[in-house]
């Protein structure tokens, strides 16, 4: 399919209002774990919430709270989540009462139950704002902020998913700079790291931030860091963006640059074969500029939800306190069907649909980029 066909096709309101959450696609469902919403109490420990999106019906379901005897992670933000063999694995993150965590939690998507796998080896220090991705049966952890010792990390650790053995990696080459809230994307044996917040103090937090826009690559087969020469239009450095893979390319959406107080809504594609950056244009009215959202890919579609944005589009200089948290869902379709394109044509040309069947009119309403649909947060609404 021609890359120019990519479109934003769906915009729904009324989902979970979550920021700095973590999510993973398993089958045709997306599982979203934790995160926060402005105004909620994070001085009290409570079980992590789980929201599930059925990508067929586009309905969200809140999974009932777990039983007391289950090993349930406390509600947190800045954690990571990876999928492996139909389970989601949560690691790291923090809240305002208990601080950061380094316990591994597993959530079984079939039984909907939590467990804490017995791990061995040297467990990484508790942190948040790190990255995690699975490559060749291992979960690689990079970076983040280690709260207990008050420092940024640039270490690489891996967890062998078959044995749950933690292993610190002795890296070769020049390591990527200490950072948090970056992205790390696995392709083949390589981990592509982009963005994040670094500091002129290196591992020490001095509040003098750096926002690098270089791609750095970690070869897991040789434990070697590389900084390749890249070409094309590079994105501005940022943190709290989303990164995802589609057909062998790495895509970057959104994020925030604290030096310029800028939120982004742009989409960049990185071709790892040509080492080429390009800014892509997507038809349709997509998400507002934001950070700390989640993006999950299923087939040819990207499901983007949550995050936080400047409260007023007219505000020329939004501040940290002038933000609005989102409960919306947007779908980016890289290969829309002919049926989808026909429906979009009906919407764009404002063709009368009153004589069409109710189901088709509903589908058209959902796809409308000018009229958001609000649904209750349950499986029946």
């Amino acid at each position: 399919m021609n890359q120019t066909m990519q479109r934003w096709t769906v915009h729904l309101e009324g989902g979970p209002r979550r920021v700095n959450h973590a999510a993973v696609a398993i089958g045709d469902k997306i599982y979203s774990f934790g995160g926060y919403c402005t105004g909620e109490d994070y001085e009290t420990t409570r079980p992590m919430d789980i929201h599930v999106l059925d990508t067929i019906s586009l309905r969200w379901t809140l999974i009932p709270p777990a039983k007391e005897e289950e090993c349930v992670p406390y509600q947190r933000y800045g954690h990571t989540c990876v999928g492996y063999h139909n389970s989601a694995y949560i690691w790291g993150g923090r809240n305002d009462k208990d601080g950061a965590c380094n316990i591994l939690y597993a959530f079984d998507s079939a039984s909907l139950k939590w467990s804490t796998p017995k791990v061995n080896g040297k467990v990484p220090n508790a942190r948040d704002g790190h990255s995690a991705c699975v490559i060749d049966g291992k979960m690689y952890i990079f970076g983040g902020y280690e709260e207990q010792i008050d420092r940024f990390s640039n270490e690489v650790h891996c967890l062998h998913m078959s044995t749950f053995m933690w292993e610190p990696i002795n890296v070769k080459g020049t390591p990527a700079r200490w950072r948090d809230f970056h992205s790390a994307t696995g392709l083949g044996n390589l981990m592509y790291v982009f963005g994040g917040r670094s500091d002129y103090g290196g591992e020490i937090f001095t509040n003098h931030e750096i926002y690098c826009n270089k791609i750095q690559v970690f070869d897991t087969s040789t434990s070697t860091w590389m900084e390749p020469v890249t070409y094309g239009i590079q994105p501005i450095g940022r943190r709290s963006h989303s990164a995802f893979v589609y057909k062998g390319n790495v895509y970057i959406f959104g994020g925030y640059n604290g030096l310029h107080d800028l939120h982004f809504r742009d989409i960049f594609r990185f071709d790892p074969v040509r080492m080429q950056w390009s800014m892509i244009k997507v038809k349709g009215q997509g998400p507002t500029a934001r950070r700390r959202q989640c993006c999950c890919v299923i087939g040819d579609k990207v499901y983007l939800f949550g995050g936080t944005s400047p409260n007023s589009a007219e505000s020329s200089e939004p501040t940290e306190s002038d933000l609005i948290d989102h409960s919306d869902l947007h779908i980016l379709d890289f290969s829309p069907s002919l049926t989808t394109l026909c429906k979009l044509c009906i919407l764009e040309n404002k063709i009368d649909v009153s004589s069409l069947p109710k189901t088709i009119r509903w589908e058209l309403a959902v796809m409308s980029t000018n009229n958001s649909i609000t649904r209750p947060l349950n499986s029946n609404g």
Side-chain angles (χ1 to χ4, degrees), residues 299-311:
D300 293 318
K301 296 177 181 177
V302 182
Y303 297 81
L304 183 154
F305 53 98
T308 191
S309 295
N311 192 26

Side-chain angles (χ1 to χ4, degrees), residues 270-377:
F270 179 72
D271 182 336
V273 175
R274 298 180 178 178
M275 292 294 170
Q276 180 89 23
W277 281 106
S278 56
M279 185 175 184
I280 70 168
K281 294 182 179 180
V282 182
K283 294 183 179 180
Q285 183 179 331
T288 57
R290 64 186 66 195
R291 58 174 152 158
R292 296 177 177 173
Q293 66 285 331
C294 280
C295 285
C296 293
V297 179
I298 297 179
D300 293 318
K301 296 177 181 177
V302 182
Y303 297 81
L304 183 154
F305 53 98
T308 191
S309 295
N311 192 26
S312 171
E314 289 76 29
S315 177
S316 59
E317 296 183 359
T319 64
E320 285 277 356
S321 60
D322 185 28
L323 298 170
I324 183 169
D325 300 339
H326 294 291
S327 60
D328 55 359
L329 167 71
H330 295 265
I331 297 179
L332 168 59
D333 194 336
F334 277 99
S335 186
S337 65
L338 181 59
T339 300
T340 297
L341 293 174
C342 288
K343 291 175 180 177
L344 289 168
C345 182
I346 290 173
L347 291 170
E348 291 170 355
N349 291 280
K350 299 180 180 179
I351 297 172
D352 181 22
V353 298
S354 58
S355 61
L356 294 178
K358 183 179 179 180
T359 54
I360 295 180
R361 283 187 278 126
W362 168 255
E363 291 171 358
L364 288 167
V366 169
M367 292 173 63
S368 173
T369 57
N370 297 316
N371 298 287
S372 300
I373 308 302
T374 302
R375 282 189 181 151
L377 185 60

Side-chain angles (χ1 to χ4, degrees), residues 60-122:
W60 284 100
T61 302
L62 177 63
I63 292 181
K67 296 180 181 179
E68 291 185 4
E69 60 266 24
E70 286 189 50
C71 302
V72 183
Y74 58 73
Q75 183 74 342
R76 65 190 64 190
Y77 49 89
H79 50 295
T80 54
C81 175
V82 301
Y84 189 73
H85 288 177
N86 295 319
S87 288
Y89 291 87
I90 306 294
W91 194 82
R94 67 182 303 276
N95 72 9
D96 296 338
K97 179 178 183 295
D98 297 279
C101 177
N102 68 347
I103 299 172
L104 178 70
Y105 292 90
F107 180 79
D108 189 313
S109 65
S111 65
L112 305 183
K113 292 184 179 296
W114 286 102
S115 64
T116 51
K118 184 178 180 180
V119 302
N120 43 64
K122 186 177 180 181

Side-chain angles (χ1 to χ4, degrees), residues 29-181:
K29 292 183 172 61
I30 292 174
Y31 297 79
S32 178
F33 299 90
Y36 70 85
C37 179
T38 302
E40 291 182 348
D41 177 16
Y42 284 88
E43 294 292 341
T44 302
T45 300
R46 63 184 188 279
M48 176 180 284
D49 56 17
I50 310 169
H51 296 91
V52 184
L53 175 68
D54 185 324
T55 61
I56 306 302
S57 65
L58 297 183
R59 284 174 167 80
W60 284 100
T61 302
L62 177 63
I63 292 181
K67 296 180 181 179
E68 291 185 4
E69 60 266 24
E70 286 189 50
C71 302
V72 183
Y74 58 73
Q75 183 74 342
R76 65 190 64 190
Y77 49 89
H79 50 295
T80 54
C81 175
V82 301
Y84 189 73
H85 288 177
N86 295 319
S87 288
Y89 291 87
I90 306 294
W91 194 82
R94 67 182 303 276
N95 72 9
D96 296 338
K97 179 178 183 295
D98 297 279
C101 177
N102 68 347
I103 299 172
L104 178 70
Y105 292 90
F107 180 79
D108 189 313
S109 65
S111 65
L112 305 183
K113 292 184 179 296
W114 286 102
S115 64
T116 51
K118 184 178 180 180
V119 302
N120 43 64
K122 186 177 180 181
V123 180
N125 291 333
R127 68 194 66 198
D128 71 314
H130 56 287
S131 60
C133 63
V134 175
I135 298 174
D136 193 25
K138 301 174 185 177
M139 179 175 74
Y140 286 85
I141 299 292
F142 169 69
Y145 190 76
E146 300 179 48
E147 181 183 44
Q148 188 174 7
I149 56 178
D150 195 27
R151 70 157 194 155
F152 289 106
S153 173
N154 71 340
E155 298 171 351
V156 180
H157 299 260
C158 82
L159 176 72
H160 297 254
M161 302 301 287
S162 59
T163 61
F164 297 116
M165 166 74 79
W166 279 107
E167 177 188 358
I169 304 297
N170 294 318
V171 304
K172 304 169 187 174
T174 303
R177 194 175 180 85
W178 304 266
R179 68 187 70 196
D180 64 358
F181 295 107

